[in-house]
């Protein structure tokens, strides 16, 4: 498979064969069929509205991500004094206590993954919109990583839920979720929807747009 | 490149990569092997012997674990003589106390409702198949929903979240891990195994042809002309 890695081979696609493929169950139907006769999913050779949906969810996700970083995620009340900690603030606090691995988990899941996801989805969408022909396989792999990794960002929301439920020791100390928990959870959901709206078949269309004869030797 | 009209039977023998639209003749790679797309490496077919039975068994296990995990104490904390135990529902209700009911609903959905629903849908689809009976009405829709729900099933992320929370308060109080935590940890392992057994193409093939067991389908497929995706 080494040659595939270097230069993705051009091959016959369902669309070129006059067929439309179901993205859910992989069954093919004659072009123009509206719903998959096997699984019932709506068929589209290429999801032409895909890009506008990707960008719409992307923008909403980004809008939610900004307050998620500015407002406190957790509010700790210790002896009647309340202190809020943001995502980054909480991680820095953990590091100060020497819990560096856990701080890194939080920083990865709540900062690196969401940020990386915004950049990656934007790059993928732009690459398709401009019909870039390079790095097809690498872009496909990037998309798969984005889809796989995106849901792990939800971890910080779960941490907040567990901490707030657990630490309710009357007046001594209590922990409550802050407003950032809501916007952060929404941001994760919206970016997941953004990535899922992306029709990855469009990455490969730049390759298939070339005449098929060109690759035959 | 338009292909002359193909009959439905001929179309049934084709498979298009859902990730890159490459068209192949569907040939089962044989039990235990994987057929992947040549150009984007998406896994197309992974038949496993007795997959339906294993998926059903694991789905039942997950249902039991999940139900037990919701009602038993999850963690308990002790500091200065005060003790406090929480279940998973307490954890999700933490958001409701501060007027974040939406988050309570979201978190409950992601860690309890969606995993539970997925397992029920899978049982609905696979149990008749296992008993060599025709599938129930709506089995196709149920399987599609179950697959669409997969990324929203976040039990394993919750377990890691609990781990992080434990470290965060380790120096604040003494924390005891309850039964439910271990139930949830087991659930994560079982879910990972179950996902490995699940081959969409095989199950859809079986649903389409009525009563065909996945193994049988794989055998028939292997007898066809090998001209399909590479056997990775």
């Amino acid at each position: 498979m080494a040659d595939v890695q270097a230069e993705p081979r051009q091959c016959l696609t369902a669309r070129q064969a006059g067929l439309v493929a179901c993205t859910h169950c992989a069954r093919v139907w004659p072009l123009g069929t509206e719903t998959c006769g096997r699984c019932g999913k709506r068929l589209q050779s290429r999801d032409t509205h895909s890009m506008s949906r990707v960008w719409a969810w992307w923008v909403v996700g980004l809008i939610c991500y900004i307050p998620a970083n500015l407002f406190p995620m957790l509010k700790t009340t210790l002896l009647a004094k309340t202190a809020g900690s943001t995502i980054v603030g909480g991680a820095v606090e953990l590091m100060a206590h020497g819990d560096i691995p856990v701080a890194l988990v939080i920083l990865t899941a709540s900062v690196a993954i969401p940020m990386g996801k915004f950049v990656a989805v934007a790059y993928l969408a732009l690459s398709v919109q401009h019909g870039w022909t390079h790095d097809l396989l690498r872009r496909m792999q990037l998309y798969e990583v984005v889809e796989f990794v995106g849901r792990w960002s939800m971890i910080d929301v779960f941490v907040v839920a567990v901490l707030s439920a657990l630490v309710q020791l009357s007046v001594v100390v209590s922990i409550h979720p802050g407003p950032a928990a809501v916007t952060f959870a929404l941001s994760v959901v919206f970016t997941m929807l953004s990535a899922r709206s992306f029709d990855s078949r469009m990455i490969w269309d730049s390759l298939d747009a070339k005449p098929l004869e060109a690759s035959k030797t | 490149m338009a292909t002359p009209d193909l009959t439905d039977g001929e179309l049934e023998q084709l498979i298009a990569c859902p990730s890159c639209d490459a068209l192949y003749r569907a040939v089962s790679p044989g039990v235990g092997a994987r057929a992947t797309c040549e150009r984007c490496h998406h896994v197309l077919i992974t038949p496993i012997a007795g997959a339906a039975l294993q998926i059903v068994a694991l789905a039942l296990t997950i249902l039991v674990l999940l139900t037990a995990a919701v009602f038993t104490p999850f963690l308990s904390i002790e500091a200065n003589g005060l003790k406090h135990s929480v279940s998973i529902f307490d954890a999700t209700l933490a958001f409701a106390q501060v007027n974040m009911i939406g988050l309570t609903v979201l978190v409950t959905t992601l860690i309890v409702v969606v995993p539970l629903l997925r397992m029920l849908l899978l049982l609905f689809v696979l149990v008749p198949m296992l008993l060599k009976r025709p599938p129930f009405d709506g089995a196709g829709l149920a399987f599609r929903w179950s697959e669409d729900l997969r990324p929203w099933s976040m039990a394993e992320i919750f377990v890691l979240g609990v781990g992080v929370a434990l470290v965060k308060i380790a120096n604040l109080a003494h924390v005891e891990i309850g039964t439910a935590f271990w139930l949830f940890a087991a659930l994560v392992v079982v879910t990972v195994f179950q996902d490995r057994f699940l081959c969409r193409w095989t199950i859809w093939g079986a649903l389409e042809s009525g009563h065909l067991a996945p193994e049988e389908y794989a055998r028939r497929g292997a007898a066809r002309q090998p001209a399909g995706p590479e056997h990775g």
Side-chain angles (χ1 to χ4, degrees):
Chain A
M1 287 241 180
D3 57 325
V4 181
Q5 194 85 34
E7 178 77 45
R9 209 176 3 205
Q10 200 172 7
C11 55
L12 182 67
T13 64
R15 183 165 70 168
Q16 287 165 337
L19 300 167
V20 54
C22 174
T23 49
H24 179 82
C25 71
R27 179 88 147 82
V28 290
W29 302 93
L31 209 57
T33 314
E34 287 195 349
T35 50
C36 176
R38 178 154 82 170
C39 73
K41 194 181 161 75
R42 213 157 58 86
L43 296 174
Q44 272 181 307
S45 183
R46 293 296 178 274
D47 190 348
T48 40
H49 296 297
S50 156
M51 285 308 140
S52 29
R53 271 186 291 128
V54 169
W55 283 115
W57 290 123
W58 189 89
V59 169
V60 186
L62 191 63
I63 290 173
C64 291
Y65 189 63
I66 297 166
N69 278 285
L70 297 179
F71 290 105
M73 194 82 171
L74 273 180
K75 284 182 186 161
T76 314
T77 311
L78 187 61
L79 299 169
K81 261 196 282 178
T82 302
S85 65
T86 56
I87 295 171
V88 178
V92 170
E93 223 168 89
L94 274 173
M95 262 186 210
H97 281 112
D99 293 320
I100 290 171
V102 183
L104 288 180
V105 169
I106 290 290
L107 282 179
T108 310
S110 309
V111 182
I113 291 180
M115 294 278 209
K117 229 177 126 167
F118 284 120
V119 176
V121 172
Y123 166 68
L124 287 171
L126 287 174
S127 77
V128 163
Q129 282 168 327
H130 293 278
W132 295 345
T133 52
H134 58 85
D135 289 336
L136 293 168
L137 187 61
R138 209 166 311 148
R139 273 190 276 145
M140 187 68 214
Q141 286 164 343
L142 178 66
Y143 176 65
E144 279 174 357
V145 169
V146 164
E147 267 222 300
F148 176 78
V149 133
R151 41 206 288 280
W152 284 92
S153 296
M154 207 53 114
I155 188 169
D156 224 18
V157 177
F158 296 150
V159 171
V160 171
V162 172
L163 282 180
S164 338
L166 200 53
V167 187
Q168 299 293 346
L169 297 173
S170 67
V171 286
V172 188
V173 57
S174 67
I175 293 180
H176 292 289
V182 179
T183 51
F184 188 77
L186 288 176
S187 169
V188 175
V189 170
F190 291 143
T191 46
M192 276 177 76
L193 289 171
S194 172
R196 292 182 65 75
S197 306
F198 185 76
D199 188 347
S200 64
R201 293 176 297 188
M202 289 160 92
I203 293 178
W204 300 87
D205 282 348
S206 58
L207 186 72
D208 302 327
K210 292 184 221 160
L212 201 61
E213 275 69 30
S215 68
K216 284 184 185 163
T217 44
Chain B
M1 278 311 295
T3 317
D5 292 335
L6 294 163
T7 64
D8 196 52
E10 284 166 322
L11 286 178
E12 203 186 321
Q13 292 178 21
L14 297 174
I15 182 170
C17 175
S19 296
C20 76
D21 211 31
L23 190 65
Y24 301 99
R25 183 166 304 143
V27 176
S28 174
V31 168
R34 309 198 307 176
T36 54
C37 174
E38 282 184 18
R39 62 173 185 177
C40 79
H41 305 179
H42 183 88
V43 177
L44 297 171
I45 314 176
T46 52
I48 289 176
L53 178 65
Q54 314 218 35
I55 295 171
V56 166
L58 294 175
L60 289 172
T61 315
I62 291 174
L63 278 182
V64 172
L65 286 175
L66 204 58
T67 322
V70 169
F71 295 108
T72 45
F74 198 75
L75 294 167
S76 49
I77 186 171
E78 205 177 338
N80 308 328
L82 294 162
K83 195 166 180 181
H84 182 66
S85 288
V86 286
S87 67
I88 289 175
F89 264 115
D90 294 327
T92 59
L93 284 173
F95 292 120
Q97 292 169 359
V98 281
N99 287 325
M100 297 183 186
I101 293 161
L103 261 189
T104 295
V105 174
L106 180 74
V107 170
T108 318
T109 307
L110 295 177
I111 64 179
V112 180
V113 179
V114 171
L116 211 63
L117 192 63
R118 264 201 76 204
M119 292 312 120
L120 291 174
L121 290 170
L122 276 179
L123 287 177
F124 181 76
V125 173
L126 293 175
V127 168
M129 203 184 285
L130 205 60
L131 300 172
K132 308 242 187 296
R133 298 249 174 89
F136 291 128
D137 286 342
L141 194 62
F143 185 57
R144 191 152 67 88
W145 279 0
S146 143
E147 285 297 282
D148 284 344
L149 284 175
R150 199 200 279 219
W152 304 98
S153 175
M154 298 193 181
E156 70 270 35
I157 302 171
F158 181 69
V159 171
L160 191 62
V162 173
V164 172
L166 287 181
V167 177
K168 271 199 166 184
I169 47 169
N171 46 13
L172 200 71
H174 177 67
V175 182
E176 270 171 44
I177 293 173
T179 332
F181 177 79
W182 298 112
L183 292 176
F184 240 81
L187 188 123
V188 172
V189 177
V190 177
T191 311
V192 171
F193 268 104
Q194 194 189 37
D195 284 347
R196 283 188 42 214
F197 284 120
L198 208 148
C199 168
R200 266 193 206 184
W201 179 257
T202 311
I203 291 178
W204 278 116
L207 280 177
E208 193 173 36
S209 57
H211 53 86
L212 212 53
E215 309 85 278
E216 209 176 316
Y217 178 81
R219 254 203 327 273
R220 264 191 15 176
R224 289 181 196 148
Q225 288 298 307
E230 278 179 29
H231 300 187

